[in-house]
Amino acid sequence: MRVLIAGSSGLLGSALVATLRDSGHDVRRLVRRPARAADEHSWDPPAGRIDDRAFEDVTTVVNLCGSPMGLRWSAARKQMIRDSRIEPTEVLAEAVAEYRIPALVNASGIGYYGDTGDAVVTEESPRGAGFLAELCEAWEAATAPAAEAGSRVVNLRTGLVLSKDGLLGPLKPLFWLGLGGRLGDGRQYMPWISLRDHVSAMRFLIEHETLSGPVNVCNPEPATNAEFTRALGHALRRPAPWWVPGFALRTALGEVADEMALISQRAVPAVLEKAGFTFVHTDLDGALAVAL
């Protein structure tokens, strides 16, 4: 297969490029600068410009674009978060439709479901409330031109990816210093997934041409924040005795506290499991050991 990837320099994108090439697929990359290598093609999402040659014989377009969420959200920050996701998606979806590309695999987030408490949610569950839920809905809606043109569209509702270069990066030094601890009451569910499983799931969805629609890319066994805190402390051989109360998080992080730190999302990957995808890391302790 020939796969064109936007967002190929990020954590997920760079790992996906390597995995697809190891599997024998031809990979091209979209870059927001002049192309410097044979596998690169230049594009400018705000201007709606893409090198036409990028789509020659492409079977799947993968879009993983999106700026970091940050720890506090101003109105300007929210707009940047939104624009960095929806704008590239609109440009690529229209290109997929124009060039009749068979498939578009597009990033989204598990934040689609909002705060679900203890309730288990699958891809059939409704959209929740809040900024992230509304963002994910608009993000997925931006793929409409591709779907309307008959392309297979997959929306990756990604959970928390365990990687020393991602989620675990800022947490590791805190736990090393003995400053680790649960957030709020610790009962909120965290839909996690190992980096290896996430990349394998993306490859699985690219190669399985019968799968489309939203797909929860997370582990079958989401952990509570308290369980995650204990497991991370154990993996680093450090105590994690502290507790950060909800009001303190809200004071420090504002809206981000309720949307990301204190939110509970007991999401499960029903589509992947039904399709026969096999997770390598189903145990949180083992996944953390590998990631660290």
Side-chain angles (χ1 to χ4, degrees):
M1 302 179 75
R2 175 169 286 175
V3 183
L4 177 65
I5 302 179
S8 63
S9 62
L11 174 68
L12 296 176
S14 57
L16 180 62
V17 168
T19 295
L20 290 177
R21 286 177 173 164
D22 287 345
S23 300
H25 299 302
D26 179 20
V27 179
R28 296 180 175 185
R29 299 179 295 129
L30 287 175
V31 295
R32 303 191 195 202
R33 54 170 171 73
R36 299 171 186 162
D39 69 332
E40 293 182 348
H41 295 274
S42 180
W43 76 317
D44 182 356
R49 291 198 302 266
I50 309 179
D51 180 356
D52 291 343
R53 295 169 297 174
F55 297 97
E56 292 178 0
D57 301 320
V58 166
T59 54
T60 304
V61 172
V62 179
N63 174 27
L64 300 173
C65 293
S67 66
M69 287 291 178
L71 293 179
R72 284 194 73 90
W73 295 339
S74 62
R77 181 70 186 182
K78 280 185 173 182
Q79 191 63 49
M80 182 175 70
I81 290 170
R82 182 181 174 88
D83 291 346
S84 70
R85 286 159 174 77
I86 295 175
E87 194 171 65
T89 299
E90 290 174 337
V91 172
L92 287 173
E94 290 170 1
V96 165
E98 178 182 352
Y99 293 98
R100 302 291 178 181
I101 307 300
L104 170 62
V105 177
N106 204 79
S108 184
I110 214 77
Y112 177 92
Y113 304 108
D115 194 334
T116 64
D118 292 335
V120 175
V121 292
T122 71
E123 290 84 353
E124 296 182 355
S125 299
R127 193 210 80 184
F131 169 68
L132 291 183
E134 294 172 1
L135 168 67
C136 291
E137 181 180 53
W139 199 355
E140 295 179 11
T143 65
E148 291 166 359
S151 298
R152 178 174 68 96
V153 175
V154 177
N155 291 301
L156 305 168
R157 292 179 180 170
T158 294
L160 300 169
V161 181
L162 302 187
S163 168
K164 63 182 180 181
D165 297 319
L167 172 68
L168 301 179
L171 294 180
K172 185 176 178 180
L174 291 174
F175 276 73
W176 266 110
L177 292 171
L179 299 176
R182 62 182 171 87
L183 305 179
D185 61 20
R187 293 197 295 267
Q188 65 271 31
Y189 281 90
M190 302 172 60
W192 63 274
I193 187 170
S194 71
L195 177 60
R196 176 176 173 179
D197 278 340
H198 193 295
V199 174
S200 295
M202 288 193 289
R203 189 187 72 187
F204 183 88
L205 293 164
I206 290 169
E207 295 174 344
H208 284 68
E209 299 175 359
T210 60
L211 298 176
S212 63
V215 178
N216 291 344
V217 189
C218 56
N219 192 272
E221 296 293 336
T224 65
N225 178 260
E227 291 168 342
F228 179 84
T229 298
R230 285 194 298 270
L232 183 54
H234 177 75
L236 293 172
R237 296 181 174 83
R238 290 291 188 275
W242 303 105
W243 163 58
V244 185
F247 75 84
L249 282 169
R250 292 183 180 97
T251 299
L253 304 179
E255 187 179 359
V256 174
D258 287 313
E259 290 267 0
M260 297 180 67
L262 299 173
I263 196 171
S264 181
Q265 295 171 320
R266 197 175 183 179
V268 296
V271 170
L272 284 174
E273 290 189 296
K274 184 178 181 180
F277 178 75
T278 301
F279 289 84
V280 174
H281 299 125
T282 56
D283 173 72
L284 179 58
D285 290 322
L288 285 171
V290 170
L292 292 168

